[in-house]
Amino acid sequence: MRHPTHILVVNGVKVRQPVFVLGAPHSGADLLARALKRSPGFHLTMGRAPVARVVYAFARKPSIARSGGAPRVLRDVLAEAWQVMPGACGECAAPCREAGGIIGAGPCALEQIGAGTLARFGDASPDLLYSAPVLLQAFPDARFVQLIRDGRDVVADMLADPAAMAWFKPHMLAEDTEFPNPFLGVNAAAHRDRWKAMATAGKSALRWRAAIRLSAVLRKELPPEQLLTVRYEDLHRSPAEAIDTVSAFLDTKISTIALYGTSAPKVGAWRRRLTPDDLKIVEKVAREELKRLGYQR
């Protein structure tokens, strides 16, 4: 097991075994983050602006993530995001505030500091998956929970999400784009024109496929005590059992109540949401990964 080479102190608490939730877009990371965020002793952030800027810089320019200063940069912005003080939650993105049930100025974890119960920190920012290697360098004792979901359901949700669709504008693959580009799922510059002409369902499938491949690499490289893979389908159908698994992995009691009553996307909704043409291209692009994961025969 990797051991920290430094001690980071935030809010007077030593940051040990921080938790990072990873996954392709719309894979359920936000649902699990909700449960973690509402669990006693946890302070988990999602999409704080300084963190998002760094995460997307790393995602779109992998060479930046490989630079020697990348771990320190990411550690610093997370340390700032984890600071708990009056009004701090006003800087959080709406999904983070909603996940924490924040009404008014917040903040979400001030009472835990006063009671001396704050013990764990974490982050579940969108597209954090692409920063996983840097997170591991910044926090060698980190714990990762990655969500896997049927790519067809992922694409159906992405197609209905304006924020996800914004990444597919032609200029996103500019002349200075680095390849391979896992963020967009494009392996070589020679594929640039083909990507630009591809239907958005195909582009979404490429993003899911690339994320699944990154997740597979993590499973090979990290020991089981540092990485847990959770199927969205299990989290949706058997939330109590899935959360028990997460609780055992993190050695912390995670709230299951937060998962109930949420409008979580249905399993298998792609059957009515994807057009025949969209389904055809998704299954063509992601056939290997869908079959390997048992989503398609």
Side-chain angles (χ1 to χ4, degrees), residues 1-296:
M1 180 187 299
R2 299 171 176 86
H3 295 284
T5 57
H6 68 281
I7 298 297
L8 177 65
V9 178
V10 180
N11 305 302
V13 181
K14 293 181 180 178
V15 178
R16 298 192 184 279
Q17 298 183 3
V19 179
F20 300 105
V21 185
L22 316 174
H26 293 284
S27 288
D30 58 331
L31 190 62
L32 180 58
R34 178 188 177 96
L36 292 173
K37 191 171 181 67
R38 298 195 182 195
S39 298
F42 247 100
H43 180 37
L44 182 137
T45 50
M46 303 165 60
R48 288 290 293 269
V51 177
R53 285 193 291 269
V54 171
V55 166
Y56 284 117
F58 290 172
R60 298 192 61 202
K61 294 283 187 179
S63 62
I64 300 177
R66 293 191 294 268
S67 66
R72 185 179 64 184
V73 170
L74 192 52
R75 186 167 57 243
D76 288 349
V77 295
L78 282 168
E80 180 183 353
W82 290 333
Q83 290 288 342
V84 180
M85 59 189 70
C89 285
E91 301 177 12
C92 290
C96 187
R97 293 174 59 82
E98 188 282 328
I102 303 303
I103 300 176
C108 58
L110 188 59
E111 291 182 1
Q112 297 193 67
I113 290 180
T117 59
L118 183 61
R120 299 291 290 275
F121 297 87
D123 193 84
S125 294
D127 296 312
L128 196 61
L129 172 65
Y130 305 97
S131 294
V134 188
L135 286 168
L136 191 59
Q137 294 178 61
F139 304 98
D141 64 340
R143 297 295 183 266
F144 298 91
V145 182
Q146 61 181 14
L147 276 292
I148 302 294
R149 186 187 181 199
D150 188 332
R152 295 165 295 186
D153 275 331
V154 167
V155 171
D157 278 351
M158 289 181 69
L159 291 175
D161 179 4
M165 291 297 97
W167 292 111
F168 297 143
K169 295 179 180 179
H171 73 271
M172 294 305 297
L173 280 188
E175 291 302 318
D176 62 345
T177 299
E178 297 178 4
F179 296 95
N181 192 293
F183 181 69
L184 294 176
V186 183
N187 294 327
H191 301 159
R192 181 186 280 113
D193 291 339
R194 188 189 310 170
W195 180 87
K196 290 180 179 180
M198 182 178 283
T200 50
K203 293 176 181 177
S204 299
L206 283 174
R207 280 206 71 191
W208 178 81
R209 184 181 74 177
I212 290 298
R213 291 177 177 178
L214 288 177
S215 295
V217 171
L218 287 178
R219 283 180 63 88
K220 290 180 179 179
E221 294 182 348
L222 289 179
E225 64 267 23
Q226 277 197 278
L227 175 70
L228 175 68
T229 301
V230 177
R231 295 259 185 167
Y232 174 83
E233 292 78 15
D234 294 336
L235 190 65
H236 187 276
R237 292 168 177 155
S238 305
E241 184 177 342
I243 289 299
D244 283 347
T245 300
V246 177
S247 294
F249 172 69
L250 298 178
D251 194 24
T252 302
K253 181 60 179 176
I254 306 302
S255 172
T256 306
I257 297 176
L259 293 180
Y260 293 99
T262 59
S263 56
K266 302 297 184 183
V267 173
W270 61 267
R271 291 182 175 85
R272 60 178 175 77
R273 297 179 63 194
L274 290 181
T275 67
D277 287 343
D278 285 344
L279 178 59
K280 182 178 180 180
I281 191 172
V282 170
E283 293 188 334
K284 179 180 179 180
V285 169
R287 180 182 295 111
E288 179 181 339
E289 284 70 28
L290 287 169
K291 287 184 176 180
R292 178 169 59 83
L293 294 170
Y295 292 122
Q296 184 182 32

